[in-house]
Amino acid sequence: MDLLANLAHGFGVALTFNNLLFCLIGCIIGTAIGVLPGIGPVATISLLLPITFGQPATTAIIMLAGIYYGAQYGGSTTAILLNLPGEVSSVVTTLEGYKMARRGRAGAALSIAALASFFAGCVSTVLVAASGPLLTSVALSFGPADYFSLMLLGLIISAVLAQGSVVKSIGMVVFGVSLGLVGTDVQTGQQRFTFGIPELSDGVGFVSIAMGMFGIAEIILNLEKPEARTVMTGKVGSLMMTREEVRRSIPAVLRGTTVGSLLGILPGGGAALASFGSYMMERKVSKGRHEFGTGAIEGVAGPEAANNAASQTSFIPLLTLGIPANAVMALMVGALIIQGIQPGPRMVEAQPDLFWGLIASMWLGNLMLLVINLPMIGLWVKLLAIPYRHMYPAILIFCAIGVYSLSNNVFDVYQTVFFGLFGYLCSKLRLEPAPMLIGFVLGPMMEEHLRRAMLLSRGDVMVFVQRPISATMLAIGAIALIAMVLPNIRKGKDKALQE
Amino acid sequence: MRSVARRSVVLGIGASPLLAVGAHAQGAWPSQSIRLVVPFAPGGTTDLVARLIAAGLQEKLGVSIVVENRAGAGATLGSETVARAAPDGYTLVMSNIASHAISPAVYGSKVRYDPVKDFAHIALVVSNPTVWVANPRAGIRTMADVAARAKSASGLQVATSGAGSSNHLLVVQMSREIGTEITHVPFRGAGPAMQAVIAGQVPMMSDSLPSAASHIKQGSVVAVGMCSAERHPSFPDVPTFREQGFPLESDSWFGLSAPAGTPAPIIARLNRDVLALLQTADIRNRFAELGGTPGTYSAADYNSFIIREVAKWAPLVQAAGATAD
């Protein structure tokens, strides 16, 4: 009952005119920056931070939060329509979403993305409200060894589930891992593979890789074929989802919400892990798994639910421990501290208005986003009717602006061009970019956690099997590997995973 | 010159943009927007404070100040662009302990500017003491406990926000003081490191006070020693390293600098305006929350402070083996 009373209080706070207005402003700004490739929530929130200095803390945080999850909604739009992922989490959406758009199901893909996000947002908001502190202890029980094993499991599964040639996809994972090693070594501060270029000392930019490998490469491929110079093959198709599509999406959304809510709590790349994780799961267990690679709706529904759930639950470490899970959360901590509020375990009691108001506003924000986004779908899909010769220069310009704005450095634009050409080469050689990106994201994190685990255990490898979480992950990974080697066990594993 | 001095006194009290509009009608500086380069990604303490300062200076100067984040290579990339910019008072940088003291030693010849000669340093904005905190269940309450644990068979592990940071170099200094190696456990930023300490995976952390302050107040970690000359007013119960027999001091700091050759009147004007801004109740309160001490140096004092910092950190970077060359 306490929870209900608190939520009622929260809605009382969130439903004041001012807070509603700023929630709406945040959601609209968030959607806009999500749609513009490359311009992410981190840059936007830091730009808008001075505006929040003069506002009450609750209003400020409600607006910033709106920008954050609004960007998650908007990000899927360009991913689906143009194969342009602006963020780590929307890379996965391009895989099936863009294929759906090419089949004339852009409207359905956008609808399910919005609906899945809304559903996941609602569920995970309740989760944040009801069991935030409990989930915090789960996050705290993850040590370096456990992280390492979790990520190793992720890499194994991504290799096991690869489309087409296993050798090629393992090659791409390894290449991605090596790309991830470029930059300053976290443990020693040594420069690795930077070739004396100072811009590389912080590593290769993720946005450059994702935009280049997916978006730019796709543009080159499209221009190569003089006869088919539109994104669409002509037909726009019905905007609504068919009954069949709805039926297939529901279980995917439920699974995605679960995966996302859990992985979102983990600091560092929770949302990215969540959408990759959900995609891999759908590809293996969903009814439409044979359609993966040609535009399966589960491949949009699951990951979209997962990344929105994760972006809501990533507030848990912030609200209960005062520890930011990612760069956006770090900005939120800054905004709160400037307001004189210390995020942390006492915030729930000390600032009930802020805590419950934020939670209620998350739910309202998700509703607003749905209302903003659903009617827009028709408009977005019409964009595809613009002749490609007008379309692609505009896309390229937006990409260049977005990438440049990341750190106001032309070098990032060159990087994007490089990866665009490389991505084109890869598609000619039938090499998939997705495993490379998984390697790029997971590789450096794995290395960091491996070395930290070894440092803390004083070089004792047994730490990986002594910790129950780590041991479980490794066991599942081993089973997955064995299943890959012995195809007849594979059927059995399918059943096991479905349970 | 006299009119500039009088005007900034007026502005110091009333902060009227109208008077400053009068100033650029006379062709005086500033007559256009000013670019403030923050050599870090958005969201860090330096970035936050830069935006606070920019908002305040904007009112005092009557022109807009555009904060531009240009991160990379230990804050040297952004600083380099400012070192090379025209010295006309329209390009400024948030100089800091990384870009102007530690990174030149870490990156050596790859840093294409001299932290002293290529800049006209304006004012120290804030300095933050380093504090050592421990997990409450780790049984470490004093610096003597720290030394004892380091010398014990199991040894002591201390987390930091990253290799080559001032927090890391303090671990190196402390190891020398007690004559035993403390195991340094670097993380990617202060947040994950603090989480590991709260979770009990690493017993201790060497952190700058602003990022540790809230956790100390909440009791999720215990402050063992404040590495500054005096006790901090917000944490009067936390003894300094020196009081506990370890004569070390380590502050992280940042300030405002312009390219070398920027006219002295502009530097003087900015110094006065920044110092006046730092004394306003609003900014003082916000800094007190963050745990930092606002700067009071004149431009010349800030310059000699940076010279001392460069000389202080270079040998420590060598000792830590954190050079990139």
Side-chain angles (χ1 to χ4, degrees):
Chain A
M1 278 327 275
D2 243 16
L3 180 66
L4 288 182
N6 285 329
L7 277 178
H9 177 70
F11 275 104
V13 174
L15 283 171
T16 57
F17 177 73
N18 211 30
N19 288 344
L20 262 183
L21 178 70
F22 277 95
C23 184
L24 180 66
I25 293 176
C27 288
I28 293 175
I29 296 176
T31 307
I33 58 163
V35 170
L36 293 173
I39 300 174
V42 177
T44 313
I45 292 179
S46 61
L47 261 177
L48 293 175
L49 216 49
I51 299 175
T52 67
F53 293 165
Q55 289 171 348
T58 309
T59 312
I61 222 71
I62 283 178
M63 181 179 89
L64 298 181
I67 297 177
Y68 175 53
Y69 50 73
Q72 304 279 350
Y73 267 73
S76 55
T77 309
T78 41
I80 290 171
L81 294 177
L82 304 170
N83 205 26
L84 259 182
E87 285 180 70
V88 188
S89 49
S90 44
V91 166
V92 177
T93 313
T94 62
L95 299 176
E96 298 306 313
Y98 183 66
K99 300 265 167 51
M100 280 184 73
R102 299 215 72 151
R103 281 201 293 121
R105 300 299 304 150
L110 289 170
S111 304
I112 191 62
L115 289 167
S117 297
F118 175 69
F119 175 80
C122 292
V123 172
S124 53
T125 300
V126 173
L127 207 61
V128 174
S131 54
L134 187 76
L135 290 170
T136 307
S137 61
V138 174
L140 279 182
S141 64
F142 260 73
D146 308 320
Y147 276 111
F148 170 78
S149 302
L150 172 68
M151 286 162 190
L152 183 67
L153 176 64
L155 278 191
I156 290 174
I157 292 184
S158 74
V160 170
L161 300 182
Q163 280 169 334
S165 160
V166 176
V167 177
K168 276 181 177 174
S169 76
I170 290 176
M172 288 304 269
V173 169
V174 172
F175 183 69
V177 171
S178 344
L179 267 183
L181 297 183
V182 173
T184 308
D185 175 22
V186 174
Q187 303 286 323
T188 63
Q190 293 294 314
Q191 304 283 300
R192 301 191 295 195
F193 309 111
T194 56
F195 306 104
I197 302 169
E199 278 84 357
L200 285 180
S201 64
D202 293 323
V204 184
F206 176 84
V207 176
S208 295
I209 297 184
M211 272 191 184
M213 296 290 289
F214 287 91
I216 311 286
E218 183 67 25
I219 290 177
I220 305 175
L221 281 173
N222 280 333
L223 292 179
E224 195 182 56
K225 297 168 262 175
E227 75 283 3
R229 276 194 188 171
T230 53
V231 177
M232 305 286 297
T233 43
K235 54 180 178 180
V236 169
S238 163
L239 296 185
M240 301 302 291
M241 287 185 283
T242 62
R243 185 165 297 186
E244 165 74 7
E245 281 169 335
V246 174
R247 214 184 54 239
R248 283 172 49 186
S249 298
I250 290 170
V253 170
L254 291 175
R255 285 188 292 259
T257 305
T258 314
V259 170
S261 300
L262 293 176
L263 290 177
I265 312 164
L266 302 179
L273 285 182
S275 46
F276 278 123
S278 163
Y279 181 76
M280 289 168 190
M281 184 183 238
E282 291 313 315
R283 191 146 146 185
K284 202 63 199 166
V285 306
S286 69
K287 284 222 176 68
R289 57 181 177 272
H290 52 276
E291 269 183 36
F292 270 68
T294 59
I297 195 157
E298 293 93 337
V300 179
E304 278 295 312
N307 81 45
N308 208 46
S311 74
Q312 314 276 339
T313 54
S314 63
F315 276 90
I316 290 178
L318 172 74
L319 294 172
T320 58
L321 285 177
I323 287 175
N326 55 40
V328 177
M329 293 296 135
L331 277 167
M332 302 259 186
V333 172
L336 284 172
I337 288 178
I338 283 208
Q339 297 271 2
I341 292 169
Q342 305 286 353
R346 291 204 197 134
M347 204 172 84
V348 185
E349 296 136 51
Q351 303 280 342
D353 279 10
L354 190 137
F355 184 82
W356 295 106
L358 174 64
I359 284 174
S361 88
M362 284 180 179
W363 191 83
L364 290 171
N366 275 296
L367 185 67
M368 284 181 195
L369 283 166
L370 190 68
V371 174
I372 297 170
N373 279 283
L374 279 184
M376 295 279 275
I377 289 174
L379 192 73
W380 290 128
V381 173
K382 281 206 188 77
L383 270 183
L384 295 183
I386 297 173
Y388 204 63
R389 65 177 184 282
H390 299 313
M391 189 83 147
Y392 83 86
I395 300 173
L396 286 178
I397 287 169
F398 276 118
C399 286
I401 294 173
V403 171
Y404 178 78
S405 73
L406 288 176
S407 60
N408 296 301
N409 200 334
V410 196
F411 184 79
D412 292 331
V413 182
Y414 296 148
Q415 272 192 97
T416 313
V417 173
F418 172 81
F419 283 105
L421 296 173
F422 181 71
Y424 173 72
L425 190 72
C426 286
S427 75
K428 287 284 151 187
L429 297 172
R430 299 192 182 286
L431 296 167
E432 273 190 87
M436 180 184 126
L437 275 146
I438 296 175
F440 178 77
V441 173
L442 292 185
M445 290 160 90
M446 266 174 75
E447 187 212 2
E448 206 183 312
H449 290 295
L450 170 69
R451 290 170 66 182
R452 191 172 298 136
M454 296 299 282
L455 196 61
L456 289 174
S457 73
R458 276 167 258 279
D460 184 4
V461 208
M462 293 307 283
V463 68
F464 294 103
V465 286
Q466 280 160 355
R467 294 185 57 97
I469 303 176
S470 169
T472 313
M473 303 281 172
L474 290 179
I476 299 173
I479 294 169
L481 270 183
I482 294 168
M484 181 173 74
V485 182
L486 305 169
N488 50 340
I489 301 180
R490 222 171 179 164
K491 285 175 197 161
K493 187 192 59 168
D494 285 355
K495 277 183 200 139
L497 272 177
Q498 263 163 347
E499 275 163 17
Chain B
M1 190 47 223
R2 238 179 60 213
S3 80
V4 170
R6 195 198 43 180
R7 183 155 290 125
S8 57
V9 170
V10 174
L11 289 175
I13 305 160
S16 159
L18 266 178
L19 283 175
V21 170
H24 67 170
Q26 293 160 24
W29 178 91
S31 63
Q32 62 182 67
S33 63
I34 295 171
R35 190 163 74 113
L36 173 56
V37 175
V38 174
F40 294 103
T45 321
T46 315
D47 180 59
L48 280 169
V49 174
R51 286 172 202 279
L52 267 175
I53 294 291
L57 273 184
Q58 197 157 299
E59 270 182 42
K60 285 187 183 295
L61 297 173
V63 293
S64 57
I65 298 184
V66 184
V67 175
E68 188 180 304
N69 295 90
R70 200 163 173 174
T76 61
L77 289 186
S79 307
E80 188 190 318
T81 60
V82 176
R84 288 180 180 175
D88 51 11
Y90 293 108
T91 310
L92 307 173
V93 64
M94 291 302 279
S95 44
N96 56 78
I97 188 169
S99 63
H100 283 73
I102 295 179
S103 295
V106 172
Y107 292 91
S109 59
K110 289 193 193 81
V111 174
R112 289 172 290 219
Y113 60 83
D114 183 302
V116 178
K117 290 189 193 121
D118 289 339
F119 292 89
H121 295 297
I122 298 167
L124 177 70
V125 170
V126 70
S127 70
N128 305 307
T130 308
V131 60
W132 279 33
V133 295
N135 181 295
R137 292 178 303 281
I140 301 173
R141 290 287 189 267
T142 64
M143 293 309 289
D145 293 344
V146 169
R149 179 68 65 88
K151 286 176 183 155
S152 73
S154 58
L156 175 67
Q157 297 146 332
V158 176
T160 73
S161 57
S165 62
S166 58
N167 303 319
H168 167 206
L169 297 178
L170 182 59
V171 175
V172 175
Q173 275 178 296
M174 193 60 199
S175 298
R176 278 199 200 159
E177 279 294 321
I178 54 178
T180 309
E181 172 99 4
I182 297 174
T183 307
H184 172 231
V185 187
F187 282 76
R188 208 180 277 270
M194 183 57 82
Q195 173 147 5
V197 174
I198 293 175
Q201 287 147 12
V202 189
M204 284 202 84
M205 176 172 178
S206 166
D207 197 6
S208 81
L209 186 55
S211 70
S214 63
H215 302 287
I216 299 172
K217 283 182 190 158
Q218 282 159 1
S220 43
V221 293
V222 186
V224 172
M226 192 72 74
C227 198
S228 53
E230 286 158 19
R231 293 190 181 200
H232 194 277
S234 306
F235 297 91
D237 301 338
V238 181
T240 63
F241 275 45
R242 190 181 296 276
E243 282 175 57
Q244 304 186 58
F246 300 97
L248 298 174
E249 274 174 40
S250 170
D251 289 322
S252 66
W253 48 267
F254 48 88
L256 199 62
S257 301
T262 305
I266 295 180
I267 301 297
R269 163 90 187 269
L270 280 169
N271 177 278
R272 271 194 305 274
D273 284 353
V274 170
L275 294 192
L277 200 61
L278 294 177
Q279 289 308 316
T280 57
D282 192 33
I283 299 260
R284 286 188 71 89
N285 290 341
R286 281 176 176 172
F287 278 18
E289 285 296 335
L290 290 163
T293 314
T296 52
Y297 287 148
S298 70
D301 285 348
Y302 183 41
N303 194 56
S304 30
F305 170 76
I306 291 184
I307 295 174
R308 287 200 304 276
E309 287 285 300
V310 171
K312 171 185 171 181
W313 292 108
L316 285 168
V317 170
Q318 293 297 331
T323 54
D325 266 346

